[in-house]
């Protein structure tokens, strides 16, 4: 989630800063009074530490001054207090952008906390030091992460994770797991990132941490997007959006809308992509969330390019450039303020010496200032000219590349669409010309024989049985054809997911096919847990189970058995398996089993199908955020597996 996740990474620090700022004014006076009456260096060191913590970002220059005074007291303040002073100094330096010195001071504090030769007064003190050690690891990880050292950040995060786990600090454990997932996501390893996200999500569920759950839903969506699973990405981002709405998390709502826009764009659903992109961008602008404004402008630019509306696309591209200029100016002002802060600290520390040489230094400052000003103006003018030329060249190249990329994408999409339409046409003609026409023609011939009294009673009885069987096949084929046609026409229809009792639905499905199984002397065995639940559209689930059970009976040998199982998986999902001991599927057929062009084989008793059933099964399962797979061996049987969310 880019900046959103980084912001979450620093949430704890931000909360501490806020609290310190509120209490700073009220408690500082009493601490100053206590400092004047303190007689031992250890007490003074503690007071300086508290004064620095209360100053925080409210008066950072004062904070630095308190910390340096505490450290100037030397070893007499005590090893633990000295370590805390160094760790706090490192945090101050990190916040002002001095990452090198920040890492140096936090490492010095860590060396003291990790000193195994030290003996503790009691177990409570030992636990407190271990917690501070974990905090050091976490703070180091933040400094490494921001300064671009992801390997070092990962090492520190894993050390912090191990200590938090030993301390049973679940809240920090889930946060660190999420941050490790972030590192792997940035390295382009979404599968490993997803493993850490799942661990963090299970803890967040147990802790009822709704905000972290919302962030992790976004993470799951981003992971699936990076893996090219855009439908699943939409499913997770939709859940994140609902959670963010419940929490009134404006940043989370805006991020989720923009993530949905990217996924819809990949699926060529431009209307939904535009709607979500505009909603996300509007919220980001209303709340001045710069990084989301930038993302939203980029996304809407890409969508309009894909639609061929180049004028709107260029307007959004120009808005991105203007926003980046604004952010650059703000960042430049921050750097100036940080430089001013460092200068102020140095000035205070050397004030006495500067007073003794005031006249000489002032003259030198005037000369240096004039010289520096000329140098800065010259360099700045050169940088602006070069940057303008480079930017103009880059922008022209980018526009040409975007146009070429868009044309290639349109061609690829059209080719895929034409192939799918051709496969669909062939499938429909095959069904109408063979699967429906042939049995109906046979039925007409039988009726003609009846009209001319050319059938004996025994012949009529035999033919009536065959006709009934053909009519059943025709009805089954028509049902699948109608379901399939409806799904093609209603591509934008909404689903109604609900938590279903699998035992109830599977027993209902078995009852529906008991007579068909009995005719082939096939036993249907169900092994369903009482607590097996699945979140999905009920009608979709019924259709899928009926098709899979019908296929299992159709391709099973007479006097065999079909097994239906449902087990709950440990990662909040459920697996449904339909197994038969029938003819099996060849590998070449299995690879195209869910394709519109596949042709259904005849069953062991000559039953005929269309192949549409499995195509619909895959479509319905994926619309409900699940997966479907097949495992088969020729002559030994076939197993279809469905994985859905438990709730």
């Amino acid at each position: 989630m880019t900046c959103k996740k980084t912001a979450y990474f620093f949430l704890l620090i931000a909360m501490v800063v806020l609290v310190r700022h509120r209490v700073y004014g009220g408690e500082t006076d009493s601490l100053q009074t206590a400092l004047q009456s303190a007689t031992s260096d250890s007490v003074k060191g503690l007071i300086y530490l508290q004064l620095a913590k209360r100053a925080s970002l409210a008066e950072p220059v004062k904070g630095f001054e308190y910390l340096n005074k505490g450290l100037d007291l030397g070893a007499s303040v005590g090893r633990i207090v000295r370590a805390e002073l160094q760790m706090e100094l490192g945090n101050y330096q990190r916040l002002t952008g001095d990452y090198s010195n920040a890492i140096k001071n936090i490492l010095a504090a860590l060396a003291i906390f990790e000193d195994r030769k030290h003996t503790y007064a009691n177990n409570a003190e030992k636990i407190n030091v271990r917690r501070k050690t974990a905090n050091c690891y976490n703070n180091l990880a933040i400094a490494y992460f921001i300064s671009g050292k992801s390997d070092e950040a990962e090492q520190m995060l894993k050390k912090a994770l191990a200590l938090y786990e030993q301390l049973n600090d679940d809240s920090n454990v889930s946060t660190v797991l999420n941050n490790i997932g972030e590192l792997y996501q940035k390295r382009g390893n979404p599968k490993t990132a997803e493993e850490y996200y799942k661990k963090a999500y299970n803890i967040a569920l147990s802790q009822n941490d709704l905000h972290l759950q919302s962030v992790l839903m976004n993470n799951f969506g981003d992971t699936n997007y990076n893996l090219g699973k855009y439908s699943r990405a939409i499913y997770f981002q939709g859940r994140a959006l609902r959670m963010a709405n419940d929490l009134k998390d404006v940043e989370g709502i805006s991020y989720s809308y923009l993530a949905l826009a990217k996924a819809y764009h990949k699926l060529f659903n431009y209307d939904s992509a535009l709607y979500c992109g505009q909603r996300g961008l509007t919220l980001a602008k209303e709340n001045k969330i710069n990084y989301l404004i930038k993302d939203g402008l980029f996304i809407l630019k890409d969508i309009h390019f894909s639609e061929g509306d180049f004028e709107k696309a260029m307007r959004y591209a120009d808005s991105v450039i203007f926003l980046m200029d604004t952010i650059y100016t703000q960042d430049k002002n921050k750097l100036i303020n940080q430089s001013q802060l460092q200068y102020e600290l140095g000035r205070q520390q050397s004030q006495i010496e500067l007073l003794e040489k005031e006249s000489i230094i002032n003259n030198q400052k005037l000369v240096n200032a004039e010289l520096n000003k000329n140098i800065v103006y010259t360099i700045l003018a050169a940088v602006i000219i070069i940057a303008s030329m480079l930017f103009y060249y880059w922008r022209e190249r980018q526009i040409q590349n975007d146009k070429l990329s868009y044309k290639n994408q349109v061609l690829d999409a059209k080719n895929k669409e034409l192939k799918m339409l051709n496969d669909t046409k062939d499938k429909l003609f095959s069904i109408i010309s063979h699967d429906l026409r042939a049995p109906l023609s046979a039925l007409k011939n039988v009726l003609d024989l009846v009209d001319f009294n050319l059938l004996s009673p025994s012949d009529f009885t035999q033919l009536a049985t065959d006709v009934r069987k053909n009519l059943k096949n025709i009805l089954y084929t028509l049902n699948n054809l109608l379901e399939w046609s409806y799904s093609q026409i209603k591509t934008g229809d909404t689903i109604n997911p609900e938590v279903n009792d699998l035992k109830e639905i599977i027993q209902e499905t078995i009852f529906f096919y008991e007579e068909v199984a009995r005719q082939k002397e096939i036993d249907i065995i169900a092994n369903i847990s009482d607590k097996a639940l699945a979140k999905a559209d009920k009608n979709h689930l019924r259709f899928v189970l009926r098709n899979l059970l019908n296929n299992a009976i159709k391709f099973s040998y007479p006097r065999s058995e079909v097994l239906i199982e449902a087990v709950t998986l440990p990662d909040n999902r459920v697996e449904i398996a339909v197994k038969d001991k029938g003819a099996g599927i060849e590998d070449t057929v299995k690879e195209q089993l869910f394709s519109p062009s596949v042709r259904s084989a005849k069953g062991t008793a000559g039953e005929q199908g269309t192949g549409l059933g499995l195509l619909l099964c895959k479509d319905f399962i994926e619309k409900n955020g699940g997966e479907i797979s097949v495992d088969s061996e020729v002559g030994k049987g076939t197993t279809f597996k469905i994985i859905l969310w438990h709730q």
Side-chain angles (χ1 to χ4, degrees):
M1 289 174 52
T2 61
C3 296
K4 183 184 176 186
K5 299 174 186 175
T6 304
Y8 186 81
F9 193 77
F10 302 131
L11 179 59
L12 180 61
I13 294 173
M15 293 174 64
V16 172
V17 168
L18 180 60
V19 173
R20 289 177 184 169
H21 179 70
R22 289 180 176 175
V23 303
Y24 172 70
E27 296 186 6
T28 300
D29 293 341
S30 60
L31 286 171
Q32 292 283 8
T33 303
L35 181 64
Q36 294 174 2
S37 60
T39 55
S40 68
D41 286 346
S42 60
V43 174
K44 289 180 180 179
L46 281 171
I47 294 174
Y48 280 130
L49 178 63
Q50 294 303 314
L51 284 168
K53 287 182 177 180
R54 280 155 179 73
S56 188
L57 295 182
E59 288 187 282
V61 175
K62 283 279 188 184
F64 271 106
E65 182 181 341
Y66 292 139
L67 291 170
N68 285 317
K69 285 183 177 180
L71 290 169
D72 287 343
L73 295 173
S76 58
V77 298
R79 58 187 297 279
I80 299 300
V81 174
R82 183 171 182 79
E84 288 190 85
L85 286 165
Q86 285 185 293
M87 184 171 72
E88 191 69 21
L89 180 60
N91 288 334
Y92 266 77
Q93 290 164 332
R94 176 175 53 76
L95 292 172
T96 58
D98 188 2
Y99 302 121
S100 177
N101 284 320
I103 292 171
K104 178 180 176 182
N105 278 298
I106 298 174
L107 283 173
L110 185 60
I112 296 174
F113 289 136
E114 289 183 324
D115 185 4
R116 298 183 181 277
K117 297 180 181 179
H118 180 72
T119 56
Y120 300 101
N122 50 52
N123 192 50
E125 182 186 357
K126 183 177 181 180
I127 291 174
N128 185 45
V129 170
R130 291 178 69 192
R131 193 178 301 278
K132 292 181 186 298
T133 305
N135 293 341
C136 269
Y137 289 141
N138 209 28
N139 291 335
L140 268 176
I142 296 171
Y144 283 140
F145 184 82
I146 297 176
S147 57
K149 299 178 179 180
S150 65
D151 290 339
E152 292 85 346
E154 179 186 3
Q155 183 182 3
M156 292 300 105
L157 283 172
K158 288 186 175 179
K159 286 186 175 183
L161 177 64
L163 268 180
Y164 284 135
E165 285 176 340
Q166 292 173 14
L167 295 168
N168 295 321
D169 188 349
D170 287 341
S171 178
N172 277 320
V173 166
S174 59
T175 300
V176 173
L177 285 170
N178 179 60
N179 294 333
I180 295 174
E182 280 288 325
L183 287 175
Y184 280 106
Q185 184 82 293
K186 286 183 177 293
R187 290 175 180 171
N189 193 345
K191 288 188 178 294
T192 304
E194 189 174 41
E195 292 174 8
Y196 282 98
Y197 292 153
K198 286 179 180 179
K199 293 177 183 178
Y201 183 73
N202 288 333
I203 297 174
L205 279 177
S206 64
Q207 295 285 311
N208 197 28
D209 187 345
L210 299 180
H211 186 272
L212 183 54
Q213 289 178 41
S214 174
V215 170
L216 285 161
M217 282 296 108
N218 285 130
N219 289 348
F220 284 130
D222 289 345
T223 300
N224 279 279
Y225 179 88
N226 291 334
L227 289 171
K229 299 179 179 180
Y230 305 121
S231 295
R232 287 183 60 77
I234 290 171
Y235 170 76
F236 284 113
Q237 297 297 359
R239 292 184 66 182
L241 178 60
R242 289 193 293 273
M243 290 180 178
N245 274 317
D246 292 339
L247 293 169
K248 293 180 173 59
D249 177 9
V250 177
E251 184 181 3
I253 295 170
S254 177
Y255 184 89
S256 297
Y257 270 125
L258 295 178
L260 283 168
K262 287 201 303 181
Y264 279 124
H265 179 221
K266 288 291 184 181
L267 293 175
F268 305 102
N269 188 343
Y270 298 131
D271 289 341
S272 297
L274 277 174
Y275 172 79
C276 292
Q278 288 166 353
R279 287 292 302 272
L281 179 60
T282 300
L283 283 172
K285 285 182 175 179
E286 289 174 354
N287 294 275
K288 298 180 180 178
I289 309 172
N290 281 342
Y291 80 90
L292 288 178
I293 295 173
K294 182 185 72 174
D295 288 350
L297 292 171
F298 268 118
I299 291 166
L300 288 169
K301 181 206 73 170
D302 291 339
I303 295 170
H304 284 300
F305 259 118
S306 297
E307 286 193 315
D309 192 344
F310 299 110
E311 182 179 352
K312 285 186 179 178
M314 289 304 302
R315 285 208 298 269
Y316 280 108
D318 290 339
S319 298
V320 172
I321 295 169
F322 176 78
L323 177 65
M324 291 175 70
D325 288 342
T326 303
I327 294 173
Y328 169 77
T329 303
Q330 292 173 349
D331 289 342
K332 183 176 69 176
N333 291 336
K334 289 181 182 177
L335 287 173
I336 293 172
N337 292 335
Q338 290 173 0
S339 299
Q340 182 63 32
L341 173 62
Q342 296 293 335
Y343 168 75
E344 185 68 15
L345 290 171
R347 188 185 64 79
Q348 288 186 2
Q349 292 175 354
S350 58
Q351 188 172 7
I352 296 175
E353 296 178 6
L354 292 175
L355 289 173
E356 294 176 355
K357 303 174 182 180
E358 184 176 359
S359 60
I360 298 174
I361 292 174
N362 285 338
N363 290 333
Q364 189 63 41
K365 278 185 177 180
L366 289 173
V367 175
N368 289 342
E370 188 66 26
L371 179 61
N372 289 337
K373 182 172 71 174
N374 292 334
I375 292 173
V376 169
Y377 285 161
T378 302
I379 293 174
L380 185 60
V383 168
I384 291 173
I385 292 171
I386 294 172
S388 299
M389 293 173 63
L390 290 174
F391 177 75
Y392 177 79
Y393 175 76
W394 170 83
R395 184 177 178 185
E396 288 298 315
R397 288 292 301 273
Q398 190 67 33
I399 291 172
Q400 295 302 320
N401 289 339
D402 286 343
K403 288 181 179 178
L404 181 60
S405 176
Y406 167 72
K407 290 180 180 178
N408 289 335
Q409 288 177 4
V410 170
L411 285 175
D412 289 342
K414 291 296 183 184
N415 287 335
K416 290 178 181 178
E417 184 179 353
L418 286 172
K419 185 179 183 305
M420 184 175 292
L421 288 172
N422 192 52
D423 289 344
T424 302
K425 177 205 68 176
D426 292 343
K427 169 65 73 174
L428 284 173
F429 278 125
S430 173
I431 292 169
I432 295 170
S433 66
H434 184 274
D435 295 333
L436 294 181
R437 184 184 177 194
L440 287 172
S441 296
L443 177 59
K444 178 182 179 301
N445 291 335
V446 171
L447 293 175
D448 288 342
L449 291 174
V450 172
D451 286 342
F452 291 105
N453 296 318
L454 296 176
L455 289 177
S456 65
S458 60
D459 290 336
F460 179 79
T461 302
Q462 178 62 39
L463 287 175
T465 302
D466 294 338
V467 167
R468 186 177 294 107
K469 182 179 178 181
N470 283 335
L471 285 174
K472 283 186 178 180
N473 288 335
I474 291 171
L475 181 59
Y476 183 78
T477 298
L478 280 173
N479 284 337
N480 277 352
L481 182 59
L482 288 172
E483 286 283 354
W484 179 81
S485 301
Y486 183 77
S487 72
Q488 296 302 302
I489 295 169
K490 297 283 287 182
T491 52
D493 61 335
T494 57
I495 62 172
N496 299 302
E498 57 182 299
V499 177
N500 297 281
D501 184 342
L502 286 177
K503 191 168 186 179
E504 176 185 337
I505 291 181
I506 290 174
Q507 286 176 344
E508 170 191 307
T509 305
I510 292 172
F511 176 77
F512 189 81
Y513 284 102
E514 271 184 346
E515 178 60 25
V516 178
R518 186 187 62 77
Q519 291 175 5
K520 291 184 73 171
E521 300 182 52
I522 293 173
D523 292 331
I524 303 176
I525 301 171
N527 184 12
I528 314 299
S529 170
D530 289 336
K531 295 183 179 180
L533 305 173
K535 188 169 185 179
D537 185 290
K538 197 165 190 175
N539 290 327
H540 287 180
L541 187 56
R542 281 172 171 164
F543 178 86
V544 171
L545 290 174
R546 287 184 180 180
N547 264 272
L548 293 184
L549 182 56
N550 179 71
N551 282 348
I553 295 170
K554 173 181 173 182
F555 293 106
S556 288
Y557 293 118
R559 295 178 294 280
S560 61
E561 64 182 34
V562 173
L563 175 63
I564 304 179
E565 294 180 318
V567 294
T568 300
L569 302 178
D571 57 352
N572 196 33
R573 295 192 295 177
V574 64
E575 179 183 277
I576 306 167
V578 180
K579 305 177 182 179
D580 65 62
K581 297 180 180 179
I585 305 170
E586 295 180 358
D587 290 341
T588 54
V589 177
K590 187 167 61 177
E591 293 174 359
Q592 302 294 326
L593 200 58
F594 298 105
S595 168
S597 61
V598 75
R599 181 65 184 162
S600 175
K602 289 186 178 182
T604 55
E607 302 98 326
Q608 181 63 55
T610 65
L612 285 177
L614 288 178
L615 181 64
L616 268 175
C617 287
K618 183 176 185 297
D619 184 38
F620 286 167
I621 290 298
E622 290 183 348
K623 281 183 177 179
N624 286 274
E627 301 171 6
I628 184 169
S629 62
V630 61
D631 184 25
S632 182
E633 186 174 352
V634 175
K636 293 187 177 181
T638 303
T639 300
F640 282 89
K641 289 184 179 179
I642 301 168
I643 296 180
L644 292 167
W645 287 96
H646 183 60
Q647 57 181 6

